[in-house]
Amino acid sequence: MGNIIIKNESDLAEMRKACKLASRTLVEAGKLIEPGITTDSINQFVHEYTLRHNAKPAPLGYRGYPKSVCTSVNEVICHGIPSNRVLQEGDIINVDVTSILNGWHGDVSATFYVGEVSDEAKKLVEVTRECLQKSIAIVKPGVRLGDIGALIQQYAESRGYSVVRDFVGHGIGRSFHEAPQVTHFGKAGRGQRLAKGMTFTIEPMINQGDFRTRILDDDWTAITIDGKLSAQFEHTIAVTENGVEVMTAFDEPLLHSEVFP
Ligand code: MF3
Ligand code: CO
Ligand code: CO
């Protein structure tokens, strides 16, 4: 995966623009979500909105991925491929947007509610959002990656959920995925120490049941092995002098999801 690439102020200024576009795209995509729409319609919106803003959707053609966004419904953990699947009342859906603007990447995702969803589904989504929020809150120079993973694992497991091991957060910048790998489980006090100028994602995938995954025959769609629900939230962040900048922060609350500052 190579070494961790430290970004300088001018790198961060460029990357911030890509991240803002990604988060605006996700906010707008969220407004479309309701029973009766297809996941393809989300893909079409994300694709066109991205091109209209002089950017490229990073997923399209990435290692052969066929679409411009990932749409992961219910037991799909991540990398769900948009299709003619129609969203049903009670579904939960993660929409994962990655934009490339002027060579820089911004990666952000959220789980949305399709109409009214069960209390069990809501609880899972709330806890998953809290895993991301609480882990971002501890980021600053000197903190270790293991501290982030341990916090997420402890919080999710204390609520009776499990943490997916097979997919992790990642460094990001001119590349979609670069060092370091950011696991959402682990031991406090272990792993890489954070330093100013590091940029990476935190993107916990939290399951109702077993943490293990299965990949469908399309070679992308990752599902829970027990068919139970999975939820995910993701932000791209930068380590600053004294703390953290959420580069993909939303400038308005997400509709049809957890209110997310
Ligand atoms: N956006 C995903 C992530 O958070 C990666 C999707 S890869 C794709 O890392 F090819 F499926 F788009
Ligand atoms: Co990511
Ligand atoms: Co993503």
Side-chain angles (χ1 to χ4, degrees):
M1 230 185 166
N3 293 323
I4 297 176
I5 300 167
I6 299 295
K7 281 74 178 181
N8 64 29
E9 286 308 321
S10 85
D11 296 336
L12 291 170
E14 288 304 310
M15 200 168 144
R16 208 169 275 129
K17 295 178 197 164
C19 287
K20 284 291 162 205
L21 177 60
S23 63
R24 265 195 288 138
T25 307
L26 184 61
V27 165
E28 295 305 323
K31 295 177 184 176
L32 306 175
I33 291 177
E34 59 178 6
I37 70 153
T38 65
T39 51
D40 253 341
S41 70
I42 300 169
N43 182 71
Q44 193 180 341
F45 171 79
V46 168
H47 185 81
E48 286 167 7
Y49 189 92
T50 304
L51 295 189
R52 209 185 317 141
H53 290 84
N54 304 312
K56 284 186 289 196
L60 187 60
Y62 179 80
R63 300 186 180 192
Y65 187 79
K67 297 280 182 162
S68 297
V69 66
C70 297
T71 53
S72 301
V73 180
N74 295 340
E75 77 284 2
V76 179
I77 296 167
C78 62
H79 304 163
I81 300 173
S83 70
N84 58 7
R85 177 178 184 154
V86 175
L87 295 182
Q88 310 288 330
E89 178 108 20
D91 286 344
I92 60 171
I93 177 175
N94 175 276
V95 178
D96 191 339
V97 173
T98 313
S99 312
I100 312 174
L101 184 63
N102 196 17
W104 293 90
H105 291 73
D107 190 6
V108 62
S109 85
T111 299
F112 297 90
Y113 302 129
V114 181
E116 284 297 311
V117 311
S118 69
D119 288 347
E120 294 72 48
K122 254 191 192 148
K123 193 69 214 161
L124 172 70
V125 174
E126 273 169 21
V127 168
T128 305
R129 188 187 72 81
E130 287 171 339
C131 283
L132 177 58
Q133 187 182 37
K134 288 174 186 295
S135 58
I136 289 173
I138 67 164
V139 169
K140 62 179 180 182
V143 165
R144 289 171 177 266
L145 285 178
D147 301 334
I148 294 174
L151 184 154
I152 293 169
Q153 182 174 16
Q154 271 168 31
Y155 191 71
E157 291 180 355
S158 76
R159 296 297 188 274
Y161 300 126
S162 71
V163 176
V164 170
R165 312 288 203 265
D166 294 343
F167 301 95
V168 298
H170 50 91
I172 182 169
R174 287 191 184 277
S175 305
F176 195 166
H177 298 104
E178 57 189 46
Q181 294 200 44
V182 181
T183 62
H184 306 109
F185 56 92
K187 289 191 162 57
R190 305 277 184 91
Q192 173 74 47
R193 276 187 197 280
L194 302 182
K196 181 184 172 191
M198 290 183 183
T199 52
F200 57 91
T201 72
I202 305 178
E203 48 182 299
M205 286 144 274
I206 306 299
N207 292 357
Q208 267 182 337
D210 199 303
F211 65 77
R212 287 173 295 173
T213 66
R214 186 163 82 79
I215 307 292
L216 298 186
D217 287 340
D218 61 21
D219 287 341
W220 280 103
T221 310
I223 65 168
T224 57
I225 58 162
D226 54 15
K228 293 187 180 174
L229 296 176
S230 183
Q232 181 178 26
F233 286 85
E234 173 175 26
H235 270 309
T236 298
I237 66 178
V239 181
T240 63
E241 186 97 49
N242 300 308
V244 62
E245 174 183 346
V246 182
M247 302 189 88
T248 46
F250 304 118
D251 36 41
E252 56 182 284
L254 287 182
L255 271 190
H256 310 124
S257 184
E258 291 298 298
V259 175
F260 203 109

